[in-house]
Amino acid sequence: MKLGKVEFCHFLQMLALFLCLSGMNQAELSRSRSKPYFQSGRTRTKRSWVWNQFFVLEEYMGTDPLYVGKLHSDVDKGDGSIKYILSGEGASSIFIIDENTGDIHATKRLDREEQAYYTLRAQALDRLTNKPVEPESEFVIKIQDINDNEPKFLDGPYTAGVPEMSPVGTSVVQVTATDADDPTYGNSARVVYSILQGQPYFSVEPKTGVIKTALPNMDREAKDQYLLVIQAKDMVGQNGGLSGTTSVTVTLTDVNDNPPRFPRRSYQYNVPESLPVSSVVARIKAADADVGPNAEMEYKIVDGDGLGVFKISVDKDTQEGIITIQKELDFEAKTSYTLRIEAANMHVDPRFLSLGPFSDMTTVKIIVEDVDEPPVFTSRLYSMVVSEAAKVGTIIGTVAAHDPDASNSPVRYSIDRNTDLERYFNIDANSGVITTAKSLDRETNAVHNITVLAMESQNPAQIGRGYVAITILDINDNAPEFAMEYEATVCENAQPGQVIQKISAIDKDDPPNGHQFYFSLTAEAANNHNFTLQDNKDNTATVLTRRNGFRRQEQSVFYLPIFIVDSGSPSLSSTNTLTIRVCDCDADGIAQTCNAEAYILPAGLSTGALIAILACVLTLLVLVLLIVTMRRRKKEPLIFDEERDIRENIVRYDDEGGGEEDTEAFDMAALRNLNIIRDTKTRRDVTPEIQFLSRPTFKSIPDNVIFREFIWERLKEADVDPCAPPYDSLQTYAFEGNGSVAESLSSLDSISSNSDQNYDYLSDWGPRFKRLADMYGTGPECLYS
């Protein structure tokens, strides 16, 4: 009868349980039949129980506690006077003991992979005295393994590589699976390997897990990657064993097994003849199925008529052959070129030489196209010479250019005026003859570099350029002169024959044999009694004194004319004047003072001191003028000037009031009485806007109107008051209005009817008092007339 996987596991559990129960006699305590013996000085009792190991099966799935074994002492008579206790690993939590019978049970499911064995201690005690009747002993409970763990690939999934075209049996990678079951018990941890996916290309060693190639000539260009599934199964691969799988990705690495091949046997390209040197003509590429270094190629021109005209190089990124121009193309000289080009691998694998040569050949034909070219000069640079004495229109030289095209169009010449801004030269448009247009001066410009333009008559856009260097030949047209501005001095105590100055000359001309100058005094100065001149014959001359006793008071400056002649043909000469100052010198002959005015100055007072004194005097004069100007400005009255408006000027007042207690500065009564009459005064710093000739008469009106009128009146008075504070000042008025609680104290009463005064006599006073009589008359008809 064939058992299933579950039934087989249950069978193994029952078998293990049977083996444990059958070995109980070895595990139980056995009573020793030997009697106790005595020894002088001490007594020793033989142990009355012997231990063996207990075994218990892991992963027990039953509901009742699993019986492990039984402890029994021969002291136990079965009357319940002995009790058993258990201590150590897992005591009471995993393992329990019946204290009466000594039976040991496991209360939890055990896993050998978590803990393989437990060490415990057993003790037999007297139940009444709780004292041990046997010595404490230690024993071990081992957990018996079952196949409950499948193999696992701890390092998976795997990646590996193997060269393409490898022979059969080439090792790729080794995989390893581990099983947590007990390797010393049964076959639970014995693993075998097999391949589930990846055949027939690869195989695996069953015991070692080494993956190897199973087919020859695997080509990367056909398929470069394979996915393998490897299985590891315990129980030596038998039925009922547990298994685990992992994936292995195998990549075929490239080898140089493919030679380069040109897609075409021949190529043709058209290029214009005007293409510059080093320009790219074409790009060609030989196909190579390999990659990386195995696809690297080199190109070379092996044959053809364009070996010196073209060259080929390789583009390292694209592995293309780049054909470039080495020399200028000329359609009129050659219209086409043929090149034989070879492409070859740089890294050849000798194992694959049998596949054929790792190189290929192709033909490239290059057609040169005609281009309308500009005229070409017979020389790239023309060198010409002309004398600076040449007259206008003198012929200097000729340039020539021609059209290189087959049409051979006529050429016209001109000068690029950007190179001849002063227009010194002209050129004949047809013949190319260059002539002078202005007088030339070598000292201004010794060499003229001009550009000549040659244009086709039929196509003026085609312009050729030629370069001409015109050197100006020198003539003796510049007289010699002093090399510098000399400042010669002679001491008052100079002796006759004393050297006071050495002079030299320069000449702007450039004679072929160099300069030679001759020095002498002019005829007028030749017989002077003060100085003489000595020609040193080396283009220098020396000025010497003829006498002594020079005095600044008599003559402070001497002018000595010197005649200089050059050696040109014809020779030129010039007269140059040397200024010689008489100076007061120290004992070493060093000039101290050369001004004759120094004798006029007072003793002990130098020029610097006089300048300082003059500066102080000028400073004092400036201060006096400033003080006078400021005083005049302070005395100027602030009188209103109709011609200028000074309201925008800033006027500063430094007066400070006395506060509320200061009643003397201003008339306080004027602030409290509305009807007080004040003299109208004109402010000198403010332009009045309104002038009042008379005071207005106030009528009996409401108090708020009275206050407004009062403030307005005071404001207008302040505008014209020269003693008032400046603009934007705060003024306080203590005006109380016209009314009074004490009523009127005047003898004139109101117009009320109960007044006992009679004012009828006002009518007799004339027309001036008519209004008053109407107001205070007794008759009702007069009241509202």
Side-chain angles (χ1 to χ4, degrees):
M1 179 176 174
K2 190 174 182 180
L3 296 178
K5 181 177 180 180
V6 177
E7 288 82 0
F8 182 72
C9 292
H10 288 171
F11 172 75
L12 291 177
Q13 292 176 358
M14 295 300 296
L15 179 61
L17 182 62
F18 173 76
L19 293 175
C20 291
L21 293 176
S22 64
M24 280 298 297
N25 290 333
Q26 296 179 359
E28 292 182 355
L29 294 174
S30 61
R31 178 67 182 228
S32 174
R33 300 303 178 187
S34 59
K35 299 290 184 178
Y37 66 93
F38 298 94
Q39 189 176 3
S40 59
R42 54 187 298 185
T43 302
R44 181 183 180 192
T45 305
K46 268 191 175 182
R47 289 184 58 184
S48 56
W49 51 11
V50 179
W51 294 106
N52 284 324
Q53 292 181 344
F54 288 104
F55 295 91
V56 60
L57 199 64
E58 69 169 335
E59 304 294 345
Y60 173 69
M61 307 297 293
T63 58
D64 297 330
L66 177 64
Y67 180 77
V68 177
K70 184 181 182 64
L71 295 179
H72 185 71
S73 173
D74 56 1
V75 180
D76 187 3
K77 303 299 184 179
D79 55 359
S81 61
I82 302 300
K83 69 175 181 177
Y84 301 94
I85 62 174
L86 198 62
S87 63
E89 291 180 319
S92 300
S93 60
I94 299 176
F95 302 102
I96 59 175
I97 189 170
D98 189 327
E99 64 178 10
N100 295 319
T101 63
D103 293 335
I104 300 173
H105 292 80
T107 61
K108 293 183 179 180
R109 185 169 62 90
L110 302 176
D111 187 358
R112 190 202 66 83
E113 287 71 38
E114 292 182 3
Q115 189 166 344
Y117 62 91
Y118 295 85
T119 302
L120 294 97
R121 293 180 298 278
Q123 182 80 62
L125 303 176
D126 186 286
R127 187 178 296 276
L128 296 178
T129 62
N130 206 29
K131 292 182 179 181
V133 297
E134 297 285 354
E136 184 181 57
S137 293
E138 186 175 85
F139 64 96
V140 174
I141 299 178
K142 280 193 173 182
I143 310 303
Q144 266 190 331
D145 183 47
I146 64 172
N147 189 20
D148 59 343
N149 291 278
E150 73 278 3
K152 293 182 179 180
F153 293 90
L154 300 181
D155 297 329
Y158 296 85
T159 58
V162 63
E164 63 174 332
M165 311 300 288
S166 295
V168 176
T170 301
S171 178
V172 179
V173 68
Q174 183 178 15
V175 296
T176 303
T178 59
D179 195 318
D181 291 326
D182 188 359
T184 63
Y185 180 76
N187 296 323
S188 299
R190 295 182 62 184
V191 178
V192 294
Y193 300 94
S194 62
I195 183 168
L196 302 182
Q197 178 180 325
Q199 295 174 331
Y201 305 101
F202 298 93
S203 62
V204 62
E205 287 285 341
K207 294 183 178 180
T208 62
V210 175
I211 300 174
K212 299 180 179 180
T213 57
L215 282 181
N217 301 327
M218 284 191 291
D219 192 3
R220 184 199 65 84
E221 288 72 33
K223 185 177 181 180
D224 63 346
Q225 199 172 77
Y226 297 85
L227 179 63
L228 283 62
V229 178
I230 305 299
Q231 181 190 64
K233 190 173 184 180
D234 58 13
M235 299 297 293
V236 202
Q238 298 177 359
N239 291 334
L242 303 179
S243 64
T245 60
T246 187
S247 64
V248 181
T249 302
V250 179
T251 302
L252 296 183
T253 58
D254 185 53
V255 297
N256 192 6
D257 59 338
N258 294 280
R261 292 289 179 264
F262 282 107
R264 297 164 55 183
R265 295 288 80 185
S266 65
Y267 298 85
Q268 179 172 316
Y269 299 97
N270 294 349
V271 296
E273 63 174 332
S274 59
L275 201 64
V277 174
S278 301
S279 299
V280 176
V281 174
R283 286 175 174 264
I284 60 174
K285 183 178 182 180
D288 192 331
D290 296 322
V291 294
N294 297 318
E296 291 181 358
M297 286 176 283
E298 58 180 355
Y299 297 86
K300 59 183 177 180
I301 301 174
V302 297
D303 196 7
D305 55 1
L307 287 174
V309 181
F310 302 94
K311 71 174 183 178
I312 189 168
S313 58
V314 63
D315 187 332
K316 298 296 183 181
D317 296 328
T318 62
Q319 297 301 317
E320 292 178 311
I322 304 173
I323 303 174
T324 55
I325 300 176
Q326 279 187 299
K327 295 181 179 180
E328 291 183 352
L329 302 178
D330 188 0
F331 173 81
E332 289 72 25
K334 191 173 181 60
T335 59
S336 66
Y337 296 89
T338 302
L339 307 175
R340 288 284 292 168
I341 296 177
E342 179 188 59
N345 278 138
M346 297 180 64
H347 311 285
V348 179
D349 193 335
R351 296 177 298 171
F352 306 104
L353 289 176
S354 60
L355 299 177
F358 280 77
S359 63
D360 197 17
M361 300 281 290
T362 189
T363 301
V364 177
K365 186 174 184 179
I366 299 175
I367 306 298
V368 181
E369 297 177 343
D370 188 23
V371 176
D372 190 5
E373 299 174 89
V376 178
F377 283 88
T378 56
S379 176
R380 293 184 60 87
L381 177 63
Y382 294 89
S383 297
M384 303 178 183
V385 294
V386 63
S387 173
E388 65 176 327
K391 296 181 180 180
V392 174
T394 301
I395 296 176
I396 303 173
T398 303
V399 296
H402 69 281
D403 183 7
D405 299 319
S407 60
N408 194 17
S409 175
V411 175
R412 295 182 62 83
Y413 302 95
S414 64
I415 295 177
D416 185 356
R417 291 305 176 184
N418 291 324
T419 61
D420 184 26
L421 297 175
E422 300 295 330
R423 295 181 175 268
Y424 285 108
F425 307 99
N426 288 329
I427 188 171
D428 187 277
N430 297 317
S431 64
V433 175
I434 299 175
T435 58
T436 59
K438 282 183 179 182
S439 297
L440 303 176
D441 185 10
R442 189 203 65 83
E443 288 71 34
T444 302
N445 193 354
V447 178
H448 294 265
N449 294 299
I450 63 174
T451 301
V452 177
L453 307 178
M455 294 174 290
E456 290 185 12
S457 299
Q458 298 178 359
N459 186 8
Q462 296 296 330
I463 301 175
R465 286 175 170 78
Y467 304 97
V468 180
I470 302 175
T471 302
I472 310 301
L473 299 179
D474 185 45
I475 62 172
N476 191 23
D477 58 345
N478 291 278
E481 58 186 11
F482 278 161
M484 58 181 293
E485 290 292 335
Y486 292 103
E487 287 290 339
T489 60
V490 59
C491 295
E492 290 182 313
N493 56 357
Q495 299 299 318
Q498 182 174 336
V499 176
I500 62 171
Q501 184 67 51
K502 186 176 183 179
I503 60 175
S504 62
I506 58 173
D507 193 330
K508 294 180 180 178
D509 296 322
D510 186 18
N513 299 324
H515 289 288
Q516 180 64 47
F517 300 116
Y518 304 97
F519 300 87
S520 63
L521 295 177
T522 61
E524 296 82 3
N527 297 322
N528 78 89
H529 302 290
N530 300 313
F531 304 99
T532 184
L533 182 69
Q534 177 182 336
D535 192 341
N536 298 327
K537 308 301 183 182
D538 59 354
N539 291 338
T540 64
T542 304
V543 179
L544 303 94
T545 59
R546 278 188 171 180
R547 67 177 179 87
N548 58 4
F550 293 94
R551 294 181 60 81
R552 285 177 291 168
Q553 297 89 334
E554 297 176 358
Q555 186 173 351
S556 61
V557 180
F558 292 90
Y559 299 98
L560 185 64
I562 299 176
F563 188 70
I564 308 176
V565 183
D566 63 15
S567 58
S569 180
S571 62
L572 296 178
S573 62
S574 67
T575 300
N576 297 262
T577 302
L578 179 64
T579 301
I580 305 174
R581 297 184 180 276
V582 181
C583 298
D584 179 23
C585 301
D586 58 11
D588 296 328
I590 299 175
Q592 300 297 316
T593 305
C594 296
N595 295 328
E597 292 81 359
Y599 283 94
I600 306 173
L601 299 177
L605 197 58
S606 63
T607 304
L610 287 177
I611 294 174
I613 293 173
L614 184 59
C616 292
V617 172
L618 290 176
T619 304
L620 291 175
L621 288 176
V622 171
L623 290 176
V624 170
L625 289 175
L626 289 175
I627 293 172
V628 171
T629 304
M630 293 178 64
R631 286 185 177 180
R632 286 183 178 179
R633 288 185 179 179
K634 287 184 178 180
K635 291 179 179 181
E636 182 180 354
L638 296 175
I639 300 175
F640 173 70
D641 190 355
E642 294 180 354
E643 295 181 358
R644 59 175 182 170
D645 190 355
I646 61 172
R647 285 177 295 173
E648 294 182 355
N649 296 337
I650 298 176
V651 181
R652 178 175 178 180
Y653 297 88
D654 293 330
D655 297 336
E656 296 184 0
E660 295 180 353
E661 301 300 328
D662 186 3
T663 59
E664 300 297 329
F666 300 95
D667 186 4
M668 301 302 292
L671 302 178
R672 291 186 171 88
N673 191 353
L674 174 64
N675 298 323
I676 187 171
I677 299 176
R678 302 177 63 182
D679 295 336
T680 301
K681 301 177 182 178
T682 302
R683 288 188 64 172
R684 291 173 291 180
D685 61 339
V686 179
T687 301
E689 298 179 0
I690 302 174
Q691 297 287 344
F692 292 92
L693 299 178
S694 62
R695 304 284 294 183
T697 304
F698 289 89
K699 298 181 180 180
S700 178
I701 54 179
D703 288 346
N704 58 344
V705 178
I706 294 173
F707 285 114
R708 284 202 301 272
E709 291 291 340
F710 172 78
I711 296 300
W712 180 244
E713 184 68 21
R714 291 296 179 264
L715 177 61
K716 289 186 285 186
E717 290 180 359
D719 287 340
V720 298
D721 187 359
C723 300
Y727 296 121
D728 299 333
S729 61
L730 177 63
Q731 301 190 40
T732 303
Y733 302 99
F735 174 62
E736 297 179 355
N738 289 332
S740 175
V741 295
E743 299 182 352
S744 177
L745 301 178
S746 174
S747 59
L748 298 178
D749 202 357
S750 65
I751 61 174
S752 59
S753 59
N754 57 358
S755 175
D756 54 354
Q757 289 217 19
N758 186 5
Y759 299 99
D760 293 339
Y761 61 91
L762 294 176
S763 300
D764 301 331
W765 287 10
R768 292 184 179 180
F769 297 92
K770 185 179 182 301
R771 181 65 177 171
L772 202 58
D774 293 340
M775 294 177 60
Y776 293 93
T778 57
E781 68 279 5
C782 300
L783 192 59
Y784 299 102
S785 59

